[in-house]
Amino acid sequence: MAAHGEADQLGTTSDSDQGELNETEAPGKSEDHILFASDSFDDLTYDGLADGDQQSVQKGTIHAIVRQTSHDSRSNTPNNVDHDSSEVSAGEESVEETAEVNTQGQSVSNATEKEDVVPQLSVSQLSLDEEDVNTPEWKNQKKHVFILSESGKPVYSRHGKEDKLVTIMGVMQALVSFVQDAKDSIRSIVAGHHKFVFLVRDHLILVGVTRGMDSTQQMLLQLMYVYNQVISVLTHSALSKIFKQRRNYDLRRLLTGAEKFFDNLLNLMDTEPGLLLTAVRCLPLDSAVRDIIAQSIVQNAKVKDLVFALIIAKNQLVTLVRMKKYYLHPMDLHLVINLVNASESFKEAESWTPICLPKFDASGFLQAHVSYLDNDCEVCLLLLSVDRDSFFTLSEAKDKIKNRLVRYNALQAINSSIRRHSYSTQQCGIPDLRHFLYKARSTAQYTSPELEAPYGSQEEQERLFGMYHYLHHRIHTSGRPLKILFHVGQYETLLGWVTQGFELYAVFGPLITKTGAIHAVNKLLRWIKREEDRLFILNSVTF
């Protein structure tokens, strides 16, 4: 597959040359669970509970939390107090209540109405707003993503309007059905320079079309993120109830206004390596400052139904505090980051919005109190609760948290770190190193330096990201997974190295030798190890 004189060297170097670290020495490793540890192509089996937890999850993790907190409240209440004997299961809305199933707090139509009323556009609006799918500009887009119902109704398209794509999506649905009739499932089709990848889930079909470096597995991962975004807006329970009642239901009615979240998520996939690695980048901070931030949350957010509290700055995780026994999956955290990143309205005032986190519990909503802590709207605090009526309680907690962060100069430290723009490869002290991605597998966190010359332009950054996709694909190919891959290219040399403790993808100048790259990587690992308290969250803080 190499071109222009490129070559891959696989395999095994001697221990003396390789100098592999023991797993216990892997930078960023922690015995504490901060996030749910996930591999790059981890299948969607995580249910939010700790390993070995025997609680019933038949009604979902949120239901288990509501039940537990309700039990704790009753245990602390005098016996002469009457209780409502009925148990309310969070997130188990009937289809008649789907007007509440929108993460943006918008009013949506009732799913049980007799008519599928689709908003009509005037001729002038059609000519102005809709992209002609027959134009070369539409056909030559580097990546397309389509969502359609199992009956073939359009739901979403990354480029162009769904109304113009009825025929195309009908063909896609016919292909899926034809293969299913043969008791098989379609995975991908290669036609010329384009690759068509299909992901079939309950009631929905997702199709990705790419002419880039994305492998089939990587496209499936991206489609899974898009599917999870749908669930984040509606919940899996509501989606199932809707299509069980009406197989031909037009889902666009319930997703009105959510298009910006799909668009933003797909843009993040093209620029944010964390979605490729299924890992989260942490804002570089002194560990003492990070401890102050976490303790500020613990001391001032003592709310019984609060499940997660986190601070995000510039798409980077600053801190995460969680309820005991429950963990956030990196894919869910990426949906939270996408929600914040795509919502300008959150900058206007404190907000209260339901959000479903599919890997945590696909059947119900958490209620998110979203607020910014600084005037520049760079530092966002999210308090995720199972209590629908705790907005004002969490608002008071937010004020207390902010006051303590200001008093201890922690908010200033966060803003200073944002202005420093991470770190440069020059700080690593390795002359031939141009860029790298490092993922600590036990904590599902990654770190990387700023993009500098020769990757300063958008074109070069896209090329670099394409090379990372290639390297990641070759390392994780299911038929022949690799531990080490040394790739000699025309303009740079790549090294991929995966162990039980970490994944490392490094880019060097074109003249470096394999031995030189191995020694440089070992030096890089030692540098990351020295900086790990600043680059990673190593301590799990709980309520």
Side-chain angles (χ1 to χ4, degrees):
M1 188 165 177
H4 304 295
E6 299 178 353
D8 288 343
Q9 299 177 29
L10 316 177
T12 61
T13 56
S14 67
D15 289 342
S16 58
D17 286 336
Q18 184 173 318
E20 182 179 345
L21 294 178
N22 296 324
E23 184 182 359
T24 55
E25 299 175 8
K29 177 179 172 62
S30 174
E31 298 300 330
D32 263 350
H33 286 285
I34 295 92
L35 296 169
F36 183 81
S38 171
D39 290 332
S40 294
F41 297 123
D42 180 39
D43 200 12
L44 302 166
T45 56
Y46 173 67
D47 59 14
L49 292 175
D51 293 338
D53 197 316
Q54 298 301 313
Q55 292 190 68
S56 170
V57 294
Q58 184 176 1
K59 293 187 177 180
T61 306
I62 293 175
H63 182 273
I65 298 173
V66 172
R67 183 176 57 192
Q68 181 61 44
T69 54
S70 176
H71 176 269
D72 292 343
S73 297
R74 296 180 185 186
S75 299
N76 296 324
T77 305
N79 293 331
N80 60 349
V81 176
D82 293 331
H83 300 290
D84 184 355
S85 60
S86 63
E87 231 180 27
V88 178
S89 174
E92 292 187 354
E93 299 86 352
S94 66
V95 181
E96 288 80 2
E97 295 171 333
T98 51
E100 299 175 15
V101 211
N102 188 287
T103 58
Q104 290 72 55
Q106 299 171 349
S107 175
V108 294
S109 302
N110 189 300
T112 58
E113 291 178 4
K114 299 300 181 182
E115 300 291 336
D116 282 351
V117 182
V118 180
Q120 300 296 315
L121 298 177
S122 66
V123 175
S124 60
Q125 285 177 308
L126 287 173
S127 60
L128 289 174
D129 297 340
E130 296 202 8
E131 184 178 2
D132 189 346
V133 297
N134 294 315
T135 63
E137 289 77 14
W138 186 87
K139 294 180 179 179
N140 291 330
Q141 292 289 345
K142 190 172 183 179
K143 185 183 297 180
H144 288 271
V145 172
F146 307 98
I147 308 175
L148 55 147
S149 69
E150 59 185 355
S151 63
K153 278 207 168 186
V155 176
Y156 169 81
S157 172
R158 185 181 189 184
H159 302 292
K161 293 293 184 179
E162 298 81 21
D163 290 336
K164 292 283 189 178
L165 300 170
V166 175
T167 303
I168 293 175
M169 294 196 184
V171 172
M172 294 175 179
Q173 189 273 339
L175 287 170
V176 172
S177 298
F178 178 79
V179 176
Q180 285 178 339
D181 290 342
K183 308 300 181 184
D184 204 346
S185 58
I186 189 169
R187 178 59 60 89
S188 64
I189 299 172
V190 176
H193 297 293
H194 289 83
K195 181 182 297 178
F196 297 74
V197 180
F198 295 78
L199 178 67
V200 181
R201 282 294 181 265
D202 292 343
H203 312 294
L204 293 178
I205 299 169
L206 296 94
V207 184
V209 184
T210 180
R211 56 186 180 88
M213 297 290 289
D214 309 82
S215 69
T216 299
Q217 282 182 304
Q218 290 165 351
M219 284 299 297
L220 284 172
L221 180 65
Q222 293 175 31
L223 293 177
M224 187 57 69
Y225 267 106
V226 176
Y227 174 74
N228 282 351
Q229 183 65 60
V230 176
I231 300 302
S232 180
V233 175
L234 300 175
T235 78
H236 185 271
S237 300
L239 184 70
S240 297
K241 289 176 182 177
I242 289 167
F243 282 108
K244 282 180 181 177
Q245 291 189 8
R246 298 202 60 190
R247 188 173 182 271
N248 291 322
Y249 184 73
D250 188 347
L251 197 63
R252 288 178 297 171
R253 295 167 56 190
L254 292 181
L255 294 177
T256 300
E259 297 87 353
K260 64 181 179 181
F261 295 97
F262 294 103
D263 294 341
N264 195 76
L265 181 64
L266 290 166
N267 290 336
L268 282 176
M269 289 177 187
D270 292 338
T271 58
E272 173 51 56
L275 281 77
L276 173 66
L277 301 174
T278 322
V280 177
R281 188 203 304 261
C282 294
L283 183 74
L285 272 178
D286 185 83
S287 60
V289 175
R290 209 183 299 272
D291 289 341
I292 291 173
I293 298 169
Q295 289 305 315
S296 297
I297 294 175
V298 171
Q299 294 177 19
N300 295 287
K302 294 180 179 179
V303 181
K304 67 174 183 178
D305 292 319
L306 189 61
V307 186
F308 299 110
L310 57 152
I311 294 178
I312 295 170
K314 285 288 187 180
N315 296 341
Q316 300 171 89
L317 182 63
V318 176
T319 193
L320 171 64
V321 182
R322 59 180 181 81
M323 182 182 286
K324 291 179 180 177
K325 299 193 303 180
Y326 298 99
Y327 304 94
L328 261 183
H329 192 282
M331 294 184 81
D332 284 344
L333 185 48
H334 285 141
L335 292 180
V336 173
I337 291 173
N338 184 57
L339 174 70
V340 173
N341 186 271
S343 304
E344 288 294 319
S345 60
F346 289 152
K347 297 179 180 180
E348 303 300 325
E350 295 180 21
S351 301
W352 186 239
T353 180
I355 180 172
C356 175
L357 301 179
K359 298 286 280 182
F360 181 72
D361 185 349
S363 67
F365 290 111
L366 290 173
Q367 309 300 317
H369 180 278
V370 186
S371 59
Y372 282 90
L373 303 179
D374 62 328
N375 295 331
D376 295 329
C377 293
E378 301 281 5
V379 185
C380 186
L381 171 68
L382 296 105
L383 304 173
L384 307 180
S385 172
V386 297
D387 186 355
R388 299 183 181 187
D389 302 316
S390 59
F391 173 83
F392 294 106
T393 302
L394 295 178
S395 180
E396 292 175 4
K398 171 253 181 181
D399 291 335
K400 294 177 182 177
I401 291 169
K402 179 178 179 179
N403 290 338
R404 191 173 192 272
L405 293 180
V406 171
R407 185 164 67 248
Y408 286 92
N409 296 321
L411 193 56
Q412 180 182 347
I414 295 173
N415 284 317
S416 296
S417 180
I418 293 172
R419 288 192 294 270
R420 283 197 297 270
H421 300 293
S422 192
Y423 56 91
S424 167
T425 53
Q426 296 178 356
Q427 295 176 242
C428 305
I430 304 172
D432 291 322
L433 181 66
R434 291 184 175 180
H435 198 263
F436 68 87
L437 304 176
Y438 175 88
K439 173 185 174 180
R441 301 179 78 171
S442 65
T443 56
Q445 299 171 40
Y446 87 98
T447 186
S448 66
E450 288 296 313
L451 289 165
E452 302 169 313
Y455 308 113
S457 67
Q458 182 176 349
E459 182 180 357
E460 284 299 306
Q461 289 172 11
E462 291 179 357
R463 190 176 68 83
L464 174 65
F465 204 38
M467 290 189 295
Y468 278 135
H469 271 77
Y470 170 76
L471 194 58
H472 182 271
H473 163 60
R474 291 297 309 277
I475 287 283
H476 290 283
T477 300
S478 57
R480 192 190 179 193
L482 302 173
K483 185 175 183 178
I484 297 177
L485 175 63
F486 184 74
H487 174 84
V488 180
Q490 184 176 9
Y491 302 109
E492 49 266 302
T493 296
L494 314 177
L495 177 67
W497 184 5
V498 175
T499 74
Q500 290 184 335
F502 63 82
E503 296 182 25
L504 177 63
Y505 307 92
V507 181
F508 299 94
L511 302 180
I512 195 169
T513 63
K514 184 177 182 181
T515 301
I518 292 292
H519 288 314
V521 161
N522 281 327
K523 186 175 181 180
L524 173 61
L525 290 172
R526 289 192 293 270
W527 181 86
I528 297 174
K529 184 68 177 179
R530 289 194 301 269
E531 299 289 329
E532 66 177 356
D533 288 338
R534 187 172 65 92
L535 301 178
F536 302 99
I537 300 175
L538 301 179
N539 299 316
S540 180
V541 182
T542 60
F543 293 113

